[in-house]
Amino acid sequence: MSGLSYLCDYGDSEESETEESRITVKEKSKLPVPNLTKVTVCPPDSYCDDPRQHHGRLRTFPHIRGNWATLVYIKCPDESAILDLLCKIKFVFKTIDETCYPCDNLHISVTKTVVLKYHLITSFTTSLQEIISGIETFELGFDTIEVYTNEEKTRTFVALKADHLSRKFLLRIVEKVDNVLEDYNLPTFYKEPSFHMSILWWKGDLKDAILKHIDELNTILAQEKEVYKKFCIQKVDCKLGNKYYQFHLD
């Protein structure tokens, strides 16, 4: 047999052995199929936004995997101070047929609700920490009650409006946070923001009906010394989807 024949035979033998090895590896790597009959599986893309689960509230943008609804805000340090005022205000609106709801997580927004990609969360929160740590603590106070609607006119709010001195500190926070938002090509806050803490809300646009009671509401507020006290603000909060972050002021 020629040398070329030996080479060809060797090549065929090597290919055969390699193929046999692949088959052996595949057979060894097989794992038993897990029994999932008792496990409830929810497909990752089957999210259903059901307004019935949250008093008829509607999302302002659709739920998409990888997109995280993001809000930066000042949380009320003492919600118990608002409870008595809340009860008295609700009593004023007993003549309005539409149901009102107390707001949860009382806060003052310093950004709009924006959409952040998942892979940017770490760098975004790091940037917030850097700029917020240089802002000093301040005292937050309220002086009037105002009525607001959201941009879509799907909800109406009664809110406590921050006083003039508090506004100066809040504007500084917004300016700093806006710089971070611009770095990530996200919408910045309103040009002339009205800083407020919503405490009650209704479905739909009921602003005109509620404004008829505004003088009575502000009279009630003037009698609530607990609400007129100053709240010491020492941190800024951020909600990213189901994640919460806190950034301490200087």
Side-chain angles (χ1 to χ4, degrees):
M1 184 179 290
S2 68
L4 181 59
S5 298
Y6 280 117
L7 287 174
C8 291
D9 288 343
Y10 180 79
D12 292 342
S13 175
E14 183 179 40
E15 289 177 7
S16 177
E17 289 177 3
T18 302
E19 186 63 29
E20 289 177 1
S21 300
R22 288 174 183 170
I23 294 172
T24 303
V25 170
K26 287 182 179 180
E27 290 177 350
K28 287 182 178 180
S29 63
K30 285 183 178 180
L31 296 174
V33 178
N35 181 8
L36 299 177
T37 57
K38 296 183 179 180
V39 179
T40 301
V41 179
C42 180
D45 294 320
S46 65
Y47 179 87
C48 179
D49 184 25
D50 186 357
R52 292 172 298 179
Q53 297 180 2
H54 32 74
H55 304 303
R57 285 177 288 182
L58 301 173
R59 295 180 63 91
T60 55
F61 46 83
H63 174 83
I64 300 175
R65 291 186 66 199
N67 286 355
W68 290 60
T70 303
L71 177 69
V72 183
Y73 58 96
I74 308 292
K75 186 174 181 179
C76 178
D78 184 9
E79 293 189 4
S80 62
I82 309 297
L83 294 179
D84 189 46
L85 173 66
L86 195 60
C87 292
K88 292 179 180 179
I89 288 178
K90 287 180 68 175
F91 184 78
V92 171
F93 296 110
K94 64 180 181 179
T95 57
I96 296 181
D97 294 334
E98 299 293 335
T99 303
C100 64
Y101 304 93
C103 295
D104 50 7
N105 188 25
L106 299 180
H107 67 276
I108 295 178
S109 299
V110 292
T111 67
K112 299 177 181 179
T113 298
V114 298
V115 179
L116 187 70
K117 295 294 185 181
Y118 177 79
H119 66 278
L120 296 175
I121 290 177
T122 300
S123 60
F124 180 79
T125 52
T126 299
S127 297
L128 286 180
Q129 176 62 58
E130 290 175 353
I131 61 99
I132 289 174
S133 62
I135 302 174
E136 65 270 22
T137 59
F138 66 97
E139 290 187 331
L140 172 66
F142 303 98
D143 55 9
T144 58
I145 289 181
E146 299 285 352
V147 183
Y148 300 87
T149 58
N150 60 357
E151 293 184 28
E152 298 78 19
K153 305 295 184 182
T154 57
R155 289 201 286 166
T156 306
F157 302 86
V158 163
L160 302 176
K161 188 175 180 180
D163 61 25
H164 180 71
L165 185 59
S166 303
R167 177 180 168 83
K168 292 173 60 178
F169 288 97
L170 292 168
L171 280 172
R172 184 180 178 191
I173 293 174
V174 167
E175 181 183 0
K176 297 282 188 179
V177 175
D178 272 355
N179 290 335
V180 175
L181 293 173
E182 288 177 347
D183 289 341
Y184 288 82
N185 294 318
L186 296 173
T188 56
F189 205 42
Y190 304 101
K191 295 300 181 184
E192 294 294 332
S194 176
F195 296 107
H196 61 276
M197 184 170 70
S198 298
I199 58 177
L200 279 176
W201 69 274
W202 290 258
K203 287 186 288 185
D205 184 357
L206 299 179
K207 186 172 182 177
D208 290 340
I210 295 172
L211 279 174
K212 294 177 182 178
H213 301 273
I214 196 67
D215 291 338
E216 185 179 359
L217 297 179
N218 279 299
T219 298
I220 293 173
L221 176 63
Q223 297 169 350
E224 292 296 315
K225 295 181 180 179
E226 282 296 307
V227 178
Y228 265 106
K229 74 178 183 181
K230 299 289 186 177
F231 298 96
C232 182
I233 303 301
Q234 299 177 316
K235 61 181 182 296
V236 175
D237 288 75
C238 177
K239 184 178 184 294
L240 266 156
N242 60 355
K243 298 178 181 294
Y244 290 85
Y245 298 84
Q246 288 187 342
F247 309 101
H248 291 272
L249 301 175
D250 193 0

